[in-house]
Amino acid sequence: MEEHFFQCPYCWEEISMLIDYSVPNQTYVEDCEVCCNPILITATISDGQLESFSSESIEQ
Ligand SMILES: [Zn+2]
């Protein structure tokens, strides 16, 4: 597990989360620890490195 820092798409505060580098493709929803809005997280792991990461707001 590696800690990854990113900006919340709602409040723009920098938050962090733990990413499991043993799972190649990950998509899940995480609540922002500052504003509590749901963030759609998409991460791709390649050769033990974080290849891509995106944090998007979930449209109502
Ligand atoms: Zn937030």
Side-chain angles (χ1 to χ4, degrees):
M1 302 285 273
E2 296 279 340
E3 192 170 25
H4 183 73
F5 290 88
F6 61 99
Q7 277 187 319
C8 171
Y10 299 95
C11 66
W12 300 105
E13 291 290 331
E14 187 177 68
I15 55 178
S16 70
M17 61 175 299
L18 291 171
I19 297 178
D20 186 349
Y21 275 31
S22 66
V23 182
N25 295 291
Q26 306 177 44
T27 303
Y28 47 95
V29 175
E30 177 98 354
D31 289 341
C32 173
E33 61 195 35
V34 179
C35 68
C36 298
N37 281 302
I39 306 166
L40 178 64
I41 303 293
T42 307
T44 306
I45 312 298
S46 178
D47 294 329
Q49 301 284 324
L50 185 63
E51 188 172 88
S52 70
F53 182 92
S54 71
S55 54
E56 299 166 40
S57 61
I58 294 176
E59 301 300 329
Q60 299 295 321

